Amino acid sequence: MKAEPVKAEYVMVGGFLGAGKTTALLRVAEHLTAQGKRVGLITNDQSSGLVDTTLVDAHGYPVEEITGGCFCCRFNSLTAAAERLTEAARPDVFLAEPVGSCTDLRATVQYPLRRLYGDNYRIAPLSVLVDPLRALRVLGAEPGRPFSSKVLYVYRTQLEEADLIVINKADLLEPSRLARLEQALHAEYPDGEVLTVSARTGAGLDRWFARIAAADMDARPAPAVDYDTYAEGEALLGWCNATFHLAGAPFDGNALVIALARALRTALAADRIEIAHCKMTLAPDEDGNDLAAINVVGSDREPELSHRLLDDLAAGELIVNLRGEGDPAALGRAVAGALAAATAAHGVRADTIHLEHFRPARPEPTHRMATMEV
Ligand SMILES: Nc1nc2c(ncn2[C@@H]2O[C@H](COP(=O)(O)OP(=O)(O)OP(=O)(O)O)[C@@H](O)[C@H]2O)c(=O)[nH]1
Ligand SMILES: [Mg+2]
């Protein structure tokens, strides 16, 4: 009897900008590696110069990035990236992070992979992560509407298509608020199983890992998606990706990125731009292992250093990935202005290597298959 070919697993973790996808995928990678499995990560963005790729690389995992459009619109790039990873590292498990403003992944990625490449991959349930503070507001369980209604359409469609709705950052909330969020998600999205985890502390992760490993994705039809509203919602988000080279007398890079994040938040507040996610890394030219990473996941949230440089540096590369609801040109101006202020305060010179700002183009998926079987 012919042996069944060994299938690699394809695990996709979606969710809105800043929900904690990269952090959580690094935990999944750590968990699988400890079990002796080989992993390969696939990052994705509308543009190049990605903080996420820098972070995954800093943790030593093989990574391929797909730039210039989301997985659904670059489906062939996704399978090509998986093939390159296979040649380089033969992963048992592919861990894929789609763009946080992207939805309809069930119909445009999961089902096409299953139908066209089902011999190669086992498709794990689709996890959609949420930041609980943002989700409480989006669901109306707490006051404060973070984004306009078309952006919220994208957010809600992500939840609607999830097999697993994973409330992340449980460490940020007291149990009563978490319970309120769990109930609201259960009530509004009954097709998804709600799990609660903290990628930071590790709480609840084992249960989530078990759910990803145990079963294939659910076969229910993908929800109908209004592509006009989706495209308009996604295009309300401005994008700014920039890379700079910083140099000066040895300076405190942690203090510099904190000052930069604060100045940026102030500048965006003055322009009434709600931050979806601002993430930055600063990597010294000399020490390949040292890294600062800072994130701001909302206009009223504090900047947070998730990776801290161990030493002062004389020169390094700063990558800025900023997404917010507003005029992309204003995002670009805010980045330039905040960087000028923060570098001047630290006596550092900044040279621009790459700076672009834009609105994501209308999503035009390569495939759309609303059901798992033909
Ligand atoms: N408190 C807390 N913070 C977390 C947790 N998981 C992630 N974060 C933080 O949330 C911020 C965003 O995390 P990322 O992993 O970059 O989020 P993302 O979903 O990949 O963001 P995009 O790729 O921009 O969409 C970072 O500051 C993380 O350190 C968690 O469990 N608890
Ligand atoms: Mg990410």
Side-chain angles (χ1 to χ4, degrees):
M1 210 170 71
K2 208 169 134 211
E4 278 274 308
V6 179
K7 292 184 188 183
E9 286 185 55
Y10 178 83
V11 176
M12 189 155 62
V13 175
F16 199 71
L17 299 156
K21 299 178 290 296
T22 307
T23 312
L25 279 170
L26 286 170
R27 297 301 293 255
V28 179
E30 198 180 19
H31 168 76
L32 293 170
T33 307
Q35 291 186 335
K37 294 199 172 146
R38 288 184 301 271
V39 299
L41 284 93
I42 307 177
T43 57
N44 181 213
D45 194 59
Q46 307 284 2
S47 173
S48 58
L50 307 191
V51 162
D52 287 0
T53 309
T54 308
L55 280 174
V56 172
D57 195 41
H59 285 258
Y61 296 111
V63 56
E64 282 282 334
E65 61 179 24
I66 297 177
T67 57
C70 48
F71 286 157
C72 47
C73 303
R74 316 233 22 223
F75 183 84
N76 296 332
S77 304
L78 173 64
T79 51
E83 279 163 24
R84 281 197 301 279
L85 276 172
T86 299
E87 274 169 33
R90 285 190 300 117
D92 303 302
V93 186
F94 293 93
L95 301 172
E97 175 181 345
V99 183
S101 59
C102 191
T103 189
D104 204 23
L105 296 162
R106 183 177 274 274
T108 61
V109 181
Q110 302 272 98
Y111 289 162
L113 268 181
R114 165 79 195 224
R115 278 164 61 165
L116 304 173
Y117 294 90
D119 291 342
N120 302 13
Y121 305 111
R122 181 184 85 82
I123 315 295
L126 174 62
S127 299
V128 173
L129 258 60
V130 299
D131 174 301
L133 297 170
R134 180 163 277 157
L136 279 164
R137 291 181 180 181
V138 171
L139 271 69
E142 290 190 359
R145 216 168 88 112
F147 298 106
S148 56
S149 59
K150 286 180 178 161
V151 177
L152 295 183
Y153 175 79
V154 178
Y155 191 105
R156 284 178 168 278
T157 308
Q158 292 180 341
L159 293 173
E160 207 181 325
E161 67 171 341
D163 289 309
L164 305 173
I165 298 176
V166 185
I167 302 172
N168 185 30
K169 312 190 191 182
D171 56 292
L172 292 180
L173 261 70
E174 56 276 23
S176 59
R177 285 171 85 195
L178 267 181
R180 198 176 328 141
L181 178 57
E182 281 165 11
Q183 278 162 15
L185 286 166
H186 274 304
E188 288 208 41
Y189 304 100
D191 289 333
E193 178 183 344
V194 180
L195 303 174
T196 301
V197 308
S198 167
R200 178 163 298 171
T201 67
L205 287 179
D206 282 342
R207 195 166 152 234
W208 178 41
F209 295 158
R211 290 291 292 106
I212 295 172
D216 289 0
M217 70 176 302
D218 187 331
R220 77 187 136 97
V225 176
D226 175 345
Y227 266 71
D228 290 337
T229 310
Y230 171 16
E232 284 172 45
E234 202 177 13
L236 285 170
L237 295 167
W239 231 250
C240 176
N241 278 14
T243 306
F244 305 96
H245 188 254
L246 307 188
F251 61 95
D252 179 345
N254 298 317
L256 188 144
V257 292
I258 292 172
L260 173 56
R262 293 218 167 106
L264 201 42
R265 197 175 62 155
T266 306
L268 295 168
D271 279 339
R272 298 180 157 275
I273 293 176
E274 172 67 27
I275 297 173
H277 193 188
C278 172
K279 49 188 177 180
M280 303 190 265
T281 51
L282 176 58
D285 288 347
E286 295 301 326
D287 183 350
N289 295 320
D290 212 7
L291 184 76
I294 191 159
N295 305 67
V296 188
V297 294
S299 295
D300 61 355
R301 307 275 283 267
E302 281 303 310
E304 230 182 42
L305 263 185
S306 60
H307 294 64
R308 179 174 279 276
L309 284 161
L310 299 174
D311 290 310
D312 286 0
L313 71 163
E317 186 180 73
L318 171 75
I319 303 181
V320 181
N321 292 172
L322 169 63
R323 295 87 179 81
E325 185 173 350
D327 175 15
L331 297 184
R333 281 194 301 274
V335 169
L339 182 66
T343 47
H346 285 79
V348 172
R349 200 184 67 245
D351 293 314
T352 306
I353 298 170
H354 160 91
L355 190 150
E356 61 182 321
H357 47 75
F358 59 91
R359 296 184 187 281
R362 183 186 173 89
E364 304 280 4
T366 315
H367 303 284
R368 187 168 198 286
M369 301 176 179
T371 55
M372 188 187 280
E373 308 302 340
V374 188

